[in-house]
PDB file of all heavy atoms in Angstrom:
ATOM      1  N   HIS Y 269     116.628  34.325 191.173  1.00 97.00           N
ATOM      2  CA  HIS Y 269     117.933  34.565 191.618  1.00 97.00           C
ATOM      3  C   HIS Y 269     118.054  34.435 193.095  1.00 97.00           C
ATOM      4  O   HIS Y 269     117.072  34.819 193.868  1.00 97.00           O
ATOM      5  CB  HIS Y 269     118.348  35.984 191.177  1.00 97.00           C
ATOM      6  CG  HIS Y 269     119.858  36.276 191.419  1.00 97.00           C
ATOM      7  ND1 HIS Y 269     120.336  36.574 192.626  1.00 97.00           N
ATOM      8  CD2 HIS Y 269     120.878  36.290 190.505  1.00 97.00           C
ATOM      9  CE1 HIS Y 269     121.687  36.812 192.475  1.00 97.00           C
ATOM     10  NE2 HIS Y 269     122.047  36.598 191.182  1.00 97.00           N
ATOM     11  N   PRO Y 270     119.102  33.909 193.735  1.00 98.00           N
ATOM     12  CA  PRO Y 270     119.095  33.768 195.176  1.00 98.00           C
ATOM     13  C   PRO Y 270     118.911  35.114 195.986  1.00 98.00           C
ATOM     14  O   PRO Y 270     118.465  35.045 197.137  1.00 98.00           O
ATOM     15  CB  PRO Y 270     120.611  33.147 195.401  1.00 98.00           C
ATOM     16  CG  PRO Y 270     121.305  33.167 194.114  1.00 98.00           C
ATOM     17  CD  PRO Y 270     120.148  33.338 193.020  1.00 98.00           C
ATOM     18  N   PHE Y 271     119.387  36.126 195.416  1.00 98.00           N
ATOM     19  CA  PHE Y 271     119.138  37.547 196.025  1.00 98.00           C
ATOM     20  C   PHE Y 271     117.686  37.807 196.088  1.00 98.00           C
ATOM     21  O   PHE Y 271     117.172  38.217 197.111  1.00 98.00           O
ATOM     22  CB  PHE Y 271     119.999  38.616 195.263  1.00 98.00           C
ATOM     23  CG  PHE Y 271     120.093  39.833 196.032  1.00 98.00           C
ATOM     24  CD1 PHE Y 271     120.818  39.964 197.199  1.00 98.00           C
ATOM     25  CD2 PHE Y 271     119.397  41.090 195.612  1.00 98.00           C
ATOM     26  CE1 PHE Y 271     120.744  41.219 197.861  1.00 98.00           C
ATOM     27  CE2 PHE Y 271     119.450  42.257 196.260  1.00 98.00           C
ATOM     28  CZ  PHE Y 271     120.187  42.375 197.296  1.00 98.00           C
ATOM     29  N   ASP Y 272     117.029  37.649 195.001  1.00 98.00           N
ATOM     30  CA  ASP Y 272     115.492  37.822 195.079  1.00 98.00           C
ATOM     31  C   ASP Y 272     114.810  36.898 195.979  1.00 98.00           C
ATOM     32  O   ASP Y 272     113.826  37.280 196.656  1.00 98.00           O
ATOM     33  CB  ASP Y 272     115.034  37.710 193.593  1.00 98.00           C
ATOM     34  CG  ASP Y 272     115.451  38.825 192.771  1.00 98.00           C
ATOM     35  OD1 ASP Y 272     115.261  39.974 193.018  1.00 98.00           O
ATOM     36  OD2 ASP Y 272     116.172  38.584 191.766  1.00 98.00           O
ATOM     37  N   TYR Y 293     122.773  33.584 202.051  1.00 97.00           N
ATOM     38  CA  TYR Y 293     123.483  34.853 202.519  1.00 97.00           C
ATOM     39  C   TYR Y 293     123.909  34.884 203.950  1.00 97.00           C
ATOM     40  O   TYR Y 293     124.024  35.853 204.599  1.00 97.00           O
ATOM     41  CB  TYR Y 293     122.584  36.053 202.211  1.00 97.00           C
ATOM     42  CG  TYR Y 293     122.564  36.329 200.711  1.00 97.00           C
ATOM     43  CD1 TYR Y 293     121.640  35.606 199.828  1.00 97.00           C
ATOM     44  CD2 TYR Y 293     123.428  37.128 200.130  1.00 97.00           C
ATOM     45  CE1 TYR Y 293     121.642  35.907 198.557  1.00 97.00           C
ATOM     46  CE2 TYR Y 293     123.393  37.489 198.841  1.00 97.00           C
ATOM     47  CZ  TYR Y 293     122.488  36.766 197.935  1.00 97.00           C
ATOM     48  OH  TYR Y 293     122.474  37.039 196.577  1.00 97.00           O
ATOM     49  N   PHE Y 300     124.480  38.054 206.352  1.00 97.00           N
ATOM     50  CA  PHE Y 300     125.235  39.167 205.844  1.00 97.00           C
ATOM     51  C   PHE Y 300     124.542  40.553 206.006  1.00 97.00           C
ATOM     52  O   PHE Y 300     123.367  40.626 205.705  1.00 97.00           O
ATOM     53  CB  PHE Y 300     125.475  38.865 204.309  1.00 97.00           C
ATOM     54  CG  PHE Y 300     126.014  39.977 203.417  1.00 97.00           C
ATOM     55  CD1 PHE Y 300     127.118  40.826 203.879  1.00 97.00           C
ATOM     56  CD2 PHE Y 300     125.441  40.313 202.271  1.00 97.00           C
ATOM     57  CE1 PHE Y 300     127.623  41.807 203.108  1.00 97.00           C
ATOM     58  CE2 PHE Y 300     125.946  41.374 201.554  1.00 97.00           C
ATOM     59  CZ  PHE Y 300     126.975  42.115 201.897  1.00 97.00           C
ATOM     60  N   TRP Y 412     127.744  33.830 202.346  1.00 97.00           N
ATOM     61  CA  TRP Y 412     127.328  34.921 201.505  1.00 97.00           C
ATOM     62  C   TRP Y 412     128.331  35.406 200.486  1.00 97.00           C
ATOM     63  O   TRP Y 412     128.029  35.840 199.483  1.00 97.00           O
ATOM     64  CB  TRP Y 412     126.860  36.184 202.430  1.00 97.00           C
ATOM     65  CG  TRP Y 412     128.082  36.882 203.094  1.00 97.00           C
ATOM     66  CD1 TRP Y 412     128.531  36.596 204.362  1.00 97.00           C
ATOM     67  CD2 TRP Y 412     128.852  37.937 202.619  1.00 97.00           C
ATOM     68  NE1 TRP Y 412     129.517  37.479 204.612  1.00 97.00           N
ATOM     69  CE2 TRP Y 412     129.757  38.264 203.608  1.00 97.00           C
ATOM     70  CE3 TRP Y 412     128.804  38.598 201.361  1.00 97.00           C
ATOM     71  CZ2 TRP Y 412     130.644  39.313 203.316  1.00 97.00           C
ATOM     72  CZ3 TRP Y 412     129.727  39.662 201.157  1.00 97.00           C
ATOM     73  CH2 TRP Y 412     130.653  39.991 202.218  1.00 97.00           C
ATOM     74  N   ARG Y 414     130.068  33.622 198.613  1.00 95.00           N
ATOM     75  CA  ARG Y 414     129.845  32.877 197.377  1.00 95.00           C
ATOM     76  C   ARG Y 414     128.759  33.518 196.490  1.00 95.00           C
ATOM     77  O   ARG Y 414     128.675  33.160 195.295  1.00 95.00           O
ATOM     78  CB  ARG Y 414     129.446  31.383 197.735  1.00 95.00           C
ATOM     79  CG  ARG Y 414     130.454  30.594 198.434  1.00 95.00           C
ATOM     80  CD  ARG Y 414     129.842  29.230 198.673  1.00 95.00           C
ATOM     81  NE  ARG Y 414     130.622  28.549 199.754  1.00 95.00           N
ATOM     82  CZ  ARG Y 414     131.792  27.902 199.650  1.00 95.00           C
ATOM     83  NH1 ARG Y 414     132.351  27.868 198.391  1.00 95.00           N
ATOM     84  NH2 ARG Y 414     132.348  27.339 200.649  1.00 95.00           N
ATOM     85  N   ARG Y 415     128.006  34.459 197.097  1.00 97.00           N
ATOM     86  CA  ARG Y 415     126.960  35.157 196.211  1.00 97.00           C
ATOM     87  C   ARG Y 415     127.529  36.344 195.481  1.00 97.00           C
ATOM     88  O   ARG Y 415     126.799  37.067 194.877  1.00 97.00           O
ATOM     89  CB  ARG Y 415     125.833  35.514 197.068  1.00 97.00           C
ATOM     90  CG  ARG Y 415     125.210  34.437 197.856  1.00 97.00           C
ATOM     91  CD  ARG Y 415     124.308  33.464 196.965  1.00 97.00           C
ATOM     92  NE  ARG Y 415     125.053  32.384 196.491  1.00 97.00           N
ATOM     93  CZ  ARG Y 415     125.564  31.319 197.272  1.00 97.00           C
ATOM     94  NH1 ARG Y 415     125.194  31.247 198.502  1.00 97.00           N
ATOM     95  NH2 ARG Y 415     126.270  30.366 196.697  1.00 97.00           N
ATOM     96  N   TYR Y 416     128.891  36.590 195.636  1.00 97.00           N
ATOM     97  CA  TYR Y 416     129.475  37.769 194.939  1.00 97.00           C
ATOM     98  C   TYR Y 416     130.641  37.331 194.129  1.00 97.00           C
ATOM     99  O   TYR Y 416     131.421  36.486 194.658  1.00 97.00           O
ATOM    100  CB  TYR Y 416     129.877  38.833 195.956  1.00 97.00           C
ATOM    101  CG  TYR Y 416     128.597  39.492 196.518  1.00 97.00           C
ATOM    102  CD1 TYR Y 416     128.112  39.133 197.719  1.00 97.00           C
ATOM    103  CD2 TYR Y 416     127.992  40.479 195.750  1.00 97.00           C
ATOM    104  CE1 TYR Y 416     127.015  39.674 198.269  1.00 97.00           C
ATOM    105  CE2 TYR Y 416     126.719  41.099 196.236  1.00 97.00           C
ATOM    106  CZ  TYR Y 416     126.279  40.718 197.465  1.00 97.00           C
ATOM    107  OH  TYR Y 416     125.181  41.270 197.987  1.00 97.00           O
ATOM    108  N   GLU Y 417     130.894  37.903 192.996  1.00 97.00           N
ATOM    109  CA  GLU Y 417     132.120  37.721 192.221  1.00 97.00           C
ATOM    110  C   GLU Y 417     132.974  38.940 192.452  1.00 97.00           C
ATOM    111  O   GLU Y 417     132.530  40.102 192.237  1.00 97.00           O
ATOM    112  CB  GLU Y 417     131.664  37.615 190.804  1.00 97.00           C
ATOM    113  CG  GLU Y 417     132.891  37.117 189.900  1.00 97.00           C
ATOM    114  CD  GLU Y 417     132.462  36.910 188.466  1.00 97.00           C
ATOM    115  OE1 GLU Y 417     131.142  37.007 188.153  1.00 97.00           O
ATOM    116  OE2 GLU Y 417     133.323  36.746 187.545  1.00 97.00           O
ATOM    117  N   LEU Y 418     134.004  38.754 193.221  1.00 97.00           N
ATOM    118  CA  LEU Y 418     134.935  39.864 193.650  1.00 97.00           C
ATOM    119  C   LEU Y 418     136.194  39.711 192.895  1.00 97.00           C
ATOM    120  O   LEU Y 418     136.872  38.692 192.940  1.00 97.00           O
ATOM    121  CB  LEU Y 418     135.143  39.729 195.122  1.00 97.00           C
ATOM    122  CG  LEU Y 418     133.873  39.969 196.017  1.00 97.00           C
ATOM    123  CD1 LEU Y 418     134.173  39.460 197.438  1.00 97.00           C
ATOM    124  CD2 LEU Y 418     133.588  41.392 196.009  1.00 97.00           C
ATOM    125  N   VAL Y 442     133.043  44.206 191.599  1.00 98.00           N
ATOM    126  CA  VAL Y 442     132.103  43.354 192.285  1.00 98.00           C
ATOM    127  C   VAL Y 442     130.785  43.219 191.492  1.00 98.00           C
ATOM    128  O   VAL Y 442     130.332  44.131 190.906  1.00 98.00           O
ATOM    129  CB  VAL Y 442     131.771  43.940 193.701  1.00 98.00           C
ATOM    130  CG1 VAL Y 442     131.136  45.318 193.688  1.00 98.00           C
ATOM    131  CG2 VAL Y 442     130.785  42.990 194.417  1.00 98.00           C
ATOM    132  N   ARG Y 443     130.199  42.024 191.511  1.00 98.00           N
ATOM    133  CA  ARG Y 443     128.868  41.881 190.920  1.00 98.00           C
ATOM    134  C   ARG Y 443     128.275  40.598 191.609  1.00 98.00           C
ATOM    135  O   ARG Y 443     129.005  39.798 192.234  1.00 98.00           O
ATOM    136  CB  ARG Y 443     128.850  41.756 189.457  1.00 98.00           C
ATOM    137  CG  ARG Y 443     129.506  40.531 188.856  1.00 98.00           C
ATOM    138  CD  ARG Y 443     129.265  40.453 187.331  1.00 98.00           C
ATOM    139  NE  ARG Y 443     129.993  39.459 186.718  1.00 98.00           N
ATOM    140  CZ  ARG Y 443     130.004  39.050 185.422  1.00 98.00           C
ATOM    141  NH1 ARG Y 443     129.115  39.828 184.641  1.00 98.00           N
ATOM    142  NH2 ARG Y 443     130.634  38.085 184.975  1.00 98.00           N
ATOM    143  N   ASP Y 444     126.901  40.516 191.546  1.00 98.00           N
ATOM    144  CA  ASP Y 444     126.250  39.319 192.092  1.00 98.00           C
ATOM    145  C   ASP Y 444     126.748  38.054 191.317  1.00 98.00           C
ATOM    146  O   ASP Y 444     127.001  38.135 190.209  1.00 98.00           O
ATOM    147  CB  ASP Y 444     124.703  39.539 191.857  1.00 98.00           C
ATOM    148  CG  ASP Y 444     123.999  40.428 192.856  1.00 98.00           C
ATOM    149  OD1 ASP Y 444     124.252  40.261 194.039  1.00 98.00           O
ATOM    150  OD2 ASP Y 444     123.476  41.440 192.315  1.00 98.00           O
ATOM    151  N   ALA Y 445     126.702  37.006 192.048  1.00 97.00           N
ATOM    152  CA  ALA Y 445     127.042  35.649 191.421  1.00 97.00           C
ATOM    153  C   ALA Y 445     125.854  34.665 191.745  1.00 97.00           C
ATOM    154  O   ALA Y 445     125.617  34.442 192.943  1.00 97.00           O
ATOM    155  CB  ALA Y 445     128.299  35.070 192.049  1.00 97.00           C
ATOM    156  N   PRO Y 446     125.136  34.264 190.723  1.00 97.00           N
ATOM    157  CA  PRO Y 446     125.322  34.660 189.361  1.00 97.00           C
ATOM    158  C   PRO Y 446     124.923  36.113 189.067  1.00 97.00           C
ATOM    159  O   PRO Y 446     124.287  36.635 189.904  1.00 97.00           O
ATOM    160  CB  PRO Y 446     124.264  33.691 188.619  1.00 97.00           C
ATOM    161  CG  PRO Y 446     123.255  33.363 189.557  1.00 97.00           C
ATOM    162  CD  PRO Y 446     124.024  33.277 190.964  1.00 97.00           C
ATOM    163  N   PRO Y 447     125.328  36.688 188.009  1.00 98.00           N
ATOM    164  CA  PRO Y 447     124.932  38.095 187.702  1.00 98.00           C
ATOM    165  C   PRO Y 447     123.507  38.317 187.702  1.00 98.00           C
ATOM    166  O   PRO Y 447     122.602  37.488 187.521  1.00 98.00           O
ATOM    167  CB  PRO Y 447     125.494  38.306 186.227  1.00 98.00           C
ATOM    168  CG  PRO Y 447     126.534  37.236 186.119  1.00 98.00           C
ATOM    169  CD  PRO Y 447     126.074  36.074 186.884  1.00 98.00           C
ATOM    170  N   ARG Y 448     123.187  39.556 188.179  1.00 98.00           N
ATOM    171  CA  ARG Y 448     121.767  39.954 188.253  1.00 98.00           C
ATOM    172  C   ARG Y 448     121.613  41.428 187.938  1.00 98.00           C
ATOM    173  O   ARG Y 448     122.516  42.198 188.321  1.00 98.00           O
ATOM    174  CB  ARG Y 448     121.320  39.734 189.789  1.00 98.00           C
ATOM    175  CG  ARG Y 448     119.904  40.242 190.195  1.00 98.00           C
ATOM    176  CD  ARG Y 448     119.655  39.994 191.676  1.00 98.00           C
ATOM    177  NE  ARG Y 448     118.352  40.565 192.016  1.00 98.00           N
ATOM    178  CZ  ARG Y 448     118.168  41.797 192.366  1.00 98.00           C
ATOM    179  NH1 ARG Y 448     119.140  42.712 192.275  1.00 98.00           N
ATOM    180  NH2 ARG Y 448     116.872  42.179 192.726  1.00 98.00           N
ATOM    181  N   PRO Y 449     120.493  41.902 187.378  1.00 98.00           N
ATOM    182  CA  PRO Y 449     120.390  43.328 187.013  1.00 98.00           C
ATOM    183  C   PRO Y 449     120.453  44.129 188.326  1.00 98.00           C
ATOM    184  O   PRO Y 449     119.872  43.740 189.306  1.00 98.00           O
ATOM    185  CB  PRO Y 449     119.037  43.404 186.293  1.00 98.00           C
ATOM    186  CG  PRO Y 449     118.711  42.034 185.875  1.00 98.00           C
ATOM    187  CD  PRO Y 449     119.457  41.075 186.822  1.00 98.00           C
ATOM    188  N   LEU Y 450     121.085  45.341 188.218  1.00 98.00           N
ATOM    189  CA  LEU Y 450     121.275  46.160 189.341  1.00 98.00           C
ATOM    190  C   LEU Y 450     119.941  46.842 189.731  1.00 98.00           C
ATOM    191  O   LEU Y 450     119.273  47.388 188.929  1.00 98.00           O
ATOM    192  CB  LEU Y 450     122.460  47.203 189.080  1.00 98.00           C
ATOM    193  CG  LEU Y 450     122.973  47.998 190.224  1.00 98.00           C
ATOM    194  CD1 LEU Y 450     123.629  46.987 191.279  1.00 98.00           C
ATOM    195  CD2 LEU Y 450     123.975  48.962 189.732  1.00 98.00           C
ATOM    196  N   ASP Y 451     119.810  47.010 191.088  1.00 98.00           N
ATOM    197  CA  ASP Y 451     118.707  47.830 191.655  1.00 98.00           C
ATOM    198  C   ASP Y 451     119.232  48.408 192.972  1.00 98.00           C
ATOM    199  O   ASP Y 451     120.260  48.127 193.385  1.00 98.00           O
ATOM    200  CB  ASP Y 451     117.363  47.121 191.741  1.00 98.00           C
ATOM    201  CG  ASP Y 451     117.445  45.832 192.561  1.00 98.00           C
ATOM    202  OD1 ASP Y 451     118.355  45.745 193.446  1.00 98.00           O
ATOM    203  OD2 ASP Y 451     116.536  45.034 192.460  1.00 98.00           O
ATOM    204  N   ALA Y 453     118.259  47.796 195.977  1.00 98.00           N
ATOM    205  CA  ALA Y 453     118.421  46.713 196.987  1.00 98.00           C
ATOM    206  C   ALA Y 453     119.846  46.091 196.807  1.00 98.00           C
ATOM    207  O   ALA Y 453     120.552  45.976 197.816  1.00 98.00           O
ATOM    208  CB  ALA Y 453     117.377  45.633 197.007  1.00 98.00           C
ATOM    209  N   ALA Y 454     120.221  45.766 195.598  1.00 98.00           N
ATOM    210  CA  ALA Y 454     121.524  45.188 195.286  1.00 98.00           C
ATOM    211  C   ALA Y 454     122.625  46.135 195.656  1.00 98.00           C
ATOM    212  O   ALA Y 454     123.625  45.715 196.229  1.00 98.00           O
ATOM    213  CB  ALA Y 454     121.602  44.624 193.875  1.00 98.00           C
ATOM    214  N   LEU Y 455     122.394  47.387 195.321  1.00 98.00           N
ATOM    215  CA  LEU Y 455     123.383  48.376 195.540  1.00 98.00           C
ATOM    216  C   LEU Y 455     123.671  48.557 197.008  1.00 98.00           C
ATOM    217  O   LEU Y 455     124.754  48.682 197.453  1.00 98.00           O
ATOM    218  CB  LEU Y 455     122.992  49.743 194.960  1.00 98.00           C
ATOM    219  CG  LEU Y 455     124.010  50.878 194.883  1.00 98.00           C
ATOM    220  CD1 LEU Y 455     125.291  50.493 194.131  1.00 98.00           C
ATOM    221  CD2 LEU Y 455     123.287  52.110 194.150  1.00 98.00           C
ATOM    222  N   ALA Y 457     123.255  46.340 199.330  1.00 98.00           N
ATOM    223  CA  ALA Y 457     124.017  45.163 199.852  1.00 98.00           C
ATOM    224  C   ALA Y 457     125.473  45.321 199.511  1.00 98.00           C
ATOM    225  O   ALA Y 457     126.367  45.065 200.326  1.00 98.00           O
ATOM    226  CB  ALA Y 457     123.471  43.950 199.278  1.00 98.00           C
ATOM    227  N   MET Y 458     125.808  45.872 198.254  1.00 98.00           N
ATOM    228  CA  MET Y 458     127.187  45.839 197.828  1.00 98.00           C
ATOM    229  C   MET Y 458     127.897  46.944 198.663  1.00 98.00           C
ATOM    230  O   MET Y 458     129.123  46.972 198.639  1.00 98.00           O
ATOM    231  CB  MET Y 458     127.199  46.186 196.294  1.00 98.00           C
ATOM    232  CG  MET Y 458     126.777  44.914 195.516  1.00 98.00           C
ATOM    233  SD  MET Y 458     126.945  45.288 193.694  1.00 98.00           S
ATOM    234  CE  MET Y 458     125.980  43.870 193.142  1.00 98.00           C
ATOM    235  N   ILE Y 461     130.134  45.045 201.022  1.00 97.00           N
ATOM    236  CA  ILE Y 461     130.872  43.791 200.710  1.00 97.00           C
ATOM    237  C   ILE Y 461     132.315  43.823 201.215  1.00 97.00           C
ATOM    238  O   ILE Y 461     133.071  42.789 200.941  1.00 97.00           O
ATOM    239  CB  ILE Y 461     130.830  43.496 199.159  1.00 97.00           C
ATOM    240  CG1 ILE Y 461     131.193  44.833 198.491  1.00 97.00           C
ATOM    241  CG2 ILE Y 461     129.511  42.940 198.699  1.00 97.00           C
ATOM    242  CD1 ILE Y 461     132.573  44.793 197.882  1.00 97.00           C
ATOM    243  N   GLY Y 496     122.682  47.160 183.962  1.00 98.00           N
ATOM    244  CA  GLY Y 496     122.513  45.750 183.805  1.00 98.00           C
ATOM    245  C   GLY Y 496     123.247  44.713 184.814  1.00 98.00           C
ATOM    246  O   GLY Y 496     123.218  44.985 185.945  1.00 98.00           O
ATOM    247  N   GLU Y 497     123.988  43.802 184.289  1.00 98.00           N
ATOM    248  CA  GLU Y 497     124.608  42.844 185.117  1.00 98.00           C
ATOM    249  C   GLU Y 497     126.137  43.067 185.121  1.00 98.00           C
ATOM    250  O   GLU Y 497     126.946  42.225 185.557  1.00 98.00           O
ATOM    251  CB  GLU Y 497     124.432  41.467 184.572  1.00 98.00           C
ATOM    252  CG  GLU Y 497     122.865  41.004 184.526  1.00 98.00           C
ATOM    253  CD  GLU Y 497     122.527  39.687 184.023  1.00 98.00           C
ATOM    254  OE1 GLU Y 497     123.525  39.034 183.513  1.00 98.00           O
ATOM    255  OE2 GLU Y 497     121.441  39.224 184.103  1.00 98.00           O
ATOM    256  N   SER Y 498     126.529  44.309 184.733  1.00 98.00           N
ATOM    257  CA  SER Y 498     127.934  44.552 184.715  1.00 98.00           C
ATOM    258  C   SER Y 498     128.605  44.670 186.150  1.00 98.00           C
ATOM    259  O   SER Y 498     127.917  44.881 187.183  1.00 98.00           O
ATOM    260  CB  SER Y 498     128.137  46.088 184.185  1.00 98.00           C
ATOM    261  OG  SER Y 498     127.605  46.156 182.882  1.00 98.00           O
ATOM    262  N   PHE Y 499     129.840  44.462 186.205  1.00 98.00           N
ATOM    263  CA  PHE Y 499     130.617  44.759 187.433  1.00 98.00           C
ATOM    264  C   PHE Y 499     130.529  46.201 187.889  1.00 98.00           C
ATOM    265  O   PHE Y 499     130.391  47.109 187.012  1.00 98.00           O
ATOM    266  CB  PHE Y 499     132.092  44.388 187.269  1.00 98.00           C
ATOM    267  CG  PHE Y 499     132.483  42.965 187.320  1.00 98.00           C
ATOM    268  CD1 PHE Y 499     132.547  42.177 186.137  1.00 98.00           C
ATOM    269  CD2 PHE Y 499     132.758  42.476 188.539  1.00 98.00           C
ATOM    270  CE1 PHE Y 499     132.949  40.838 186.268  1.00 98.00           C
ATOM    271  CE2 PHE Y 499     133.142  41.026 188.565  1.00 98.00           C
ATOM    272  CZ  PHE Y 499     133.165  40.331 187.496  1.00 98.00           C
ATOM    273  N   LEU Y 500     130.470  46.439 189.153  1.00 98.00           N
ATOM    274  CA  LEU Y 500     130.745  47.784 189.708  1.00 98.00           C
ATOM    275  C   LEU Y 500     132.077  47.960 190.175  1.00 98.00           C
ATOM    276  O   LEU Y 500     132.677  46.820 190.661  1.00 98.00           O
ATOM    277  CB  LEU Y 500     129.625  48.198 190.832  1.00 98.00           C
ATOM    278  CG  LEU Y 500     128.163  47.974 190.540  1.00 98.00           C
ATOM    279  CD1 LEU Y 500     127.456  48.397 191.705  1.00 98.00           C
ATOM    280  CD2 LEU Y 500     127.813  48.668 189.244  1.00 98.00           C
TER     281      LEU Y 500
END
Side-chain angles (χ1 to χ4, degrees):
Chain Y
H269 190 283
F271 191 68
D272 293 298
Y293 286 85
F300 166 47
W412 73 267
R414 299 181 197 275
R415 304 287 91 76
Y416 289 97
E417 194 176 346
L418 294 164
V442 57
R443 66 174 171 180
D444 285 301
R448 174 184 176 278
L450 191 63
D451 58 18
L455 188 58
M458 288 181 195
I461 49 105
E497 302 179 350
S498 305
F499 278 93
L500 304 188

